[in-house]
Amino acid sequence: DILGSFLPWQDFLHEGPVPESLSLEALSKVRAEFISKKGLGEFSEVYQNFKDRDSTLKSFRKYDKIFLWFEHDLYDQLQLIQLLDWFAKYASTDTQISIISPENYLEKSTPKELREFLLYNRELVTHRHFITARKAWSAFSSKTPQVIYKLLNDDIEALPFLKDAVKRILEEYPNSINGLSRTAHQALLIISDGKQKPQDIFEEYQNSEERLFMGDVLFWDILKRLVEANLLNSMENGRDLKLTSLGVEVLQGKKNLFELHKVDRWIGGVHLTPDNLWCWDIETEQILKYNFSTNKNAIST
């Protein structure tokens, strides 16, 4: 057995608002409000869970050693940089913090492998880790995606899985061809290939990801939004999904979703609205700003 206290972070930071310059306590309230509005719990309960979590974190000085155990996917890497950013502010130089970040999933690991990770695959956190995490967390919570985009060309190798996570969050911006995120586009593509049942669609979507990061609840929410946007027909009380004619046109790039529906979505610190609409250019792998007056995308520098 591995002795000690265990603190799951339990926040899918890749969805919803993460405004810049907020304290841990203020951000926890923002995140609790977002999660409750998604129908994933009563605000009071979600917020209390975050407050309890934060209280445990702030008691870190009573522990001899701290292990930050996070996987290599987007979900975990965002949590890792949030925690390292926080520890950079409050931990002293003699606080012993280590990172365990294996390139596989804990649920697929045997007890023996877990012990080996703890004994042999931990890395002591240094100033370089803190600098990298603070830069990345500030970029993720920035009001413009240009900041996090620049990380793709920066030296952030102190956290070896971070660059792929940065690329993956940028792919969740509406793409410049049809206005769909990578996840939404993949969902429509899977349905167009004949999968109709939500569970089958989700499992096929998971197969399309290099590193799994999204749970089924958030995926169902994306499917729900596609139904609300009239890109999918929900049949048999949602047990079967099928593309509408509009969904086919959007998937083929004949129509762009953000020309049809008002965008109101947060990705990190960026609030996507018709006046602040950014998209991901799949071909050039650049972040662009969409100009409604010309119906064109322009590289923003």
Side-chain angles (χ1 to χ4, degrees):
D1 292 337
I2 299 174
L3 301 178
S5 300
F6 296 85
L7 182 63
W9 204 239
Q10 294 181 323
D11 191 3
F12 42 86
L13 294 162
H14 53 84
E15 283 284 339
V18 184
E20 64 183 351
S21 303
L22 292 186
S23 66
L24 176 65
E25 295 78 10
L27 180 57
S28 291
K29 186 173 184 180
V30 169
R31 296 299 300 168
E33 289 172 346
F34 170 73
I35 291 169
S36 63
K37 287 178 181 177
K38 283 288 182 185
L40 300 177
E42 292 294 328
F43 169 75
S44 58
E45 182 179 353
V46 177
Y47 188 33
Q48 186 60 51
N49 287 339
F50 275 132
K51 288 194 289 186
D52 292 343
R53 180 200 71 176
D54 298 345
S55 177
T56 300
L57 176 67
K58 286 183 280 188
S59 70
F60 73 94
R61 292 181 181 86
K62 71 180 184 180
Y63 296 95
D64 295 328
K65 297 178 182 179
I66 299 165
F67 299 97
L68 303 179
W69 198 322
F70 291 93
E71 294 170 347
H72 58 316
D73 57 84
L74 174 62
Y75 176 90
D76 279 44
Q77 290 297 300
L78 291 178
Q79 294 178 351
L80 176 60
I81 61 173
Q82 181 187 11
L83 277 164
L84 283 173
D85 175 79
W86 188 87
F87 275 117
K89 300 172 189 172
Y90 298 107
S92 63
T93 54
D94 60 351
T95 305
Q96 190 175 111
I97 306 174
S98 297
I99 300 173
I100 302 173
S101 193
E103 197 170 359
N104 65 337
Y105 300 99
L106 300 184
E107 62 184 27
K108 297 180 180 179
S109 302
T110 65
K112 180 181 178 182
E113 288 172 331
L114 294 178
R115 285 193 296 271
E116 289 178 350
F117 289 146
L118 187 60
L119 291 171
Y120 307 116
N121 291 75
R122 64 179 189 242
E123 182 178 5
L124 195 64
V125 171
T126 66
H127 182 66
R128 186 166 172 245
H129 293 98
F130 284 136
I131 291 296
T132 299
R134 298 207 71 180
K135 183 200 307 187
W137 182 248
S138 176
F140 176 62
S141 58
S142 173
K143 293 180 180 179
T144 169
Q146 296 165 297
V147 186
I148 194 168
Y149 173 72
K150 290 178 181 177
L151 290 181
L152 293 177
N153 295 313
D154 283 356
D155 177 12
I156 54 175
E157 301 307 318
L159 300 173
F161 304 121
L162 182 57
K163 191 159 289 190
D164 285 343
V166 168
K167 171 81 176 298
R168 188 62 190 86
I169 195 64
L170 288 168
E171 291 175 333
E172 282 304 286
Y173 279 80
N175 76 60
S176 56
I177 297 172
N178 57 22
L180 295 169
S181 68
R182 171 176 162 177
T183 303
H185 182 95
Q186 191 64 34
L188 290 188
L189 192 62
I190 291 166
I191 296 167
S192 73
D193 286 340
K195 300 288 186 183
Q196 293 189 338
K197 298 190 180 302
Q199 185 62 38
D200 293 340
I201 298 165
F202 175 67
E203 290 175 2
E204 190 66 26
Y205 156 71
Q206 293 283 67
N207 292 333
S208 74
E209 288 287 351
E210 296 86 2
R211 294 173 179 171
L212 308 181
F213 72 93
M214 185 177 295
D216 55 3
V217 173
L218 290 180
F219 188 76
W220 306 147
D221 186 66
I222 290 173
L223 294 181
K224 178 184 175 184
R225 281 184 269 151
L226 293 173
V227 170
E228 292 171 348
N230 195 32
L231 303 188
L232 290 176
N233 275 328
S234 177
M235 302 171 290
E236 297 292 326
N237 291 324
R239 289 193 291 269
D240 290 301
L241 297 168
K242 188 176 181 180
L243 263 69
T244 63
S245 57
L246 178 60
V248 172
E249 289 185 288
V250 170
L251 184 60
Q252 294 175 346
K254 295 178 180 177
K255 290 190 176 179
N256 197 309
L257 187 60
F258 45 69
E259 293 287 342
L260 304 170
H261 296 278
K262 180 181 178 181
V263 177
D264 184 7
R265 181 187 172 202
W266 284 83
I267 301 178
V270 180
H271 189 189
L272 296 174
T273 65
D275 296 327
N276 188 47
L277 185 53
W278 296 84
C279 49
W280 178 249
D281 189 296
I282 299 172
E283 295 181 356
T284 64
E285 296 192 341
Q286 297 179 85
I287 198 73
L288 312 171
K289 197 163 189 180
Y290 193 79
N291 188 333
F292 276 95
S293 63
T294 61
N295 294 334
K296 292 181 179 179
N297 305 304
I299 299 174
S300 182
T301 58

